Structure formats: C-alpha cells, structure tokens
Amino acid sequence: MLVNIQKADPRQRRKAILSVIIGAIAGTCLFFLLELALGNVSLWIQKNALFLVVHHYVGFLVMLVLVSPILWMTIYLILFTKKIIVSQQFPPPNMPVIRDVRVLEGKSAVRRGRLLQALCWLILLPAAMIPFLVWFILYSISYTS
C-alpha cells in the first residue's frame, strides 16, 4: 500500500505562525478591553433597558455583529469540507499545508469531510440563533409591559 505524503509549504508555515502570534496578542488585548468595558456595558444596558425593549431590533443587530465572525468562519469551513467531499481527498488538492501530511483518499476522506461538515453545522445553527433569541426576548418583554 502506497502512502501519499503532501509536503509542507515553508512560506505557509511562517504565515501560520505569524497569524497565531498576532491572534494571541489581539485576543489578549480584546480580553483585557472586555474586562474594562464589561462594567460600563452593564451600566449602559441598565440605563437604556427601556430603549432596548422598545427598539428590540437593536439587540438583534448588536448580537448579529458579535456572532458574525463565528458565522463567517463556519461558512468558510463548510465550503472547505465541500471541497474535501467533492475531491474525495483530505487535504483537498492544491491546498498548502504547514507540515507534512498523509493524504487521505476515497471513503476515509469523505467520512472526515462529512464529520467536519456536521461539526460546522453544530456550531453554525446555535450561533445563528443567538441574535434571534435576543430579539425574541426583547420583543416578548415589549408586549408584556
């Protein structure tokens, strides 16, 4: 049995390492910014609760902005898994990798693609429902008041 190995692309490896470093720094900064702003956001929500109840679409739009990175990433990954399933190869053809990888072909690649696709949908659907849930809660409060 011949094992097919896809060689690593050094340029992509450097790019990935740089992305992880920048992401870690940005994430740390955002974490501390969130810690500082969380109290102010809570106070703003308390002061403007009536506004949010009357204009329930604002809550929907704010939550949509907050979950949009998750939505875009899962949509990208669903499209990526489609390439895996169509080509019946993991990683897909012409996909640069950051380390040497054994290429899966046939049923095992399709199985991996379907598993990844299912996991993406398990993330996408609840994340997409969050803005609607916030809107529904604010909408319900507006008609009970």
Side-chain angles (χ1 to χ4, degrees), residues 94-128:
N94 303 321
M95 173 66 64
V97 293
I98 61 172
R99 65 181 183 91
D100 293 351
V101 175
R102 180 175 165 236
V103 177
L104 297 178
E105 294 178 328
K107 287 183 180 180
S108 60
V110 172
R111 192 174 23 240
R112 173 132 345 148
R114 293 281 184 213
L115 175 65
L116 292 172
Q117 209 170 42
L119 292 173
C120 287
W121 283 105
L122 284 174
I123 294 169
L124 180 70
L125 294 176

Side-chain angles (χ1 to χ4, degrees), residues 6 80 83-84 87-97 101-104 109:
Q6 185 173 343
F80 176 74
K83 290 179 188 176
I84 295 169
S87 68
Q88 295 188 357
Q89 181 178 326
F90 181 81
N94 303 321
M95 173 66 64
V97 293
V101 175
R102 180 175 165 236
V103 177
L104 297 178

Side-chain angles (χ1 to χ4, degrees):
M1 182 171 152
L2 183 65
V3 176
N4 191 4
I5 302 290
Q6 185 173 343
K7 295 293 184 185
D9 182 355
R11 206 171 90 237
Q12 290 297 90
R13 182 181 299 156
R14 285 190 294 277
K15 192 175 174 182
I17 291 170
L18 185 62
S19 295
V20 168
I21 291 169
I22 290 171
I25 292 169
T28 303
C29 292
L30 287 173
F31 176 78
F32 285 116
L33 183 65
L34 179 67
E35 283 293 317
L36 291 173
L38 198 56
N40 295 334
V41 171
S42 180
L43 289 173
W44 185 88
I45 290 173
Q46 288 174 2
K47 289 180 184 177
N48 297 296
L50 185 59
F51 172 81
L52 289 172
V53 169
V54 172
H55 303 283
H56 34 269
Y57 62 89
V58 172
F60 173 83
L61 292 174
V62 168
M63 292 311 296
L64 186 61
V65 167
L66 291 175
V67 300
S68 65
I70 296 169
L71 300 177
W72 287 115
M73 180 55 98
T74 54
I75 289 168
Y76 167 79
L77 289 173
I78 287 170
L79 295 174
F80 176 74
T81 58
K82 186 177 178 185
K83 290 179 188 176
I84 295 169
I85 293 166
V86 169
S87 68
Q88 295 188 357
Q89 181 178 326
F90 181 81
N94 303 321
M95 173 66 64
V97 293
I98 61 172
R99 65 181 183 91
D100 293 351
V101 175
R102 180 175 165 236
V103 177
L104 297 178
E105 294 178 328
K107 287 183 180 180
S108 60
V110 172
R111 192 174 23 240
R112 173 132 345 148
R114 293 281 184 213
L115 175 65
L116 292 172
Q117 209 170 42
L119 292 173
C120 287
W121 283 105
L122 284 174
I123 294 169
L124 180 70
L125 294 176
M129 290 306 299
I130 290 171
F132 291 105
L133 182 62
V134 169
W135 172 82
F136 179 75
I137 291 169
L138 293 173
Y139 179 79
S140 297
I141 292 170
S142 70
Y143 279 98
T144 58
S145 305

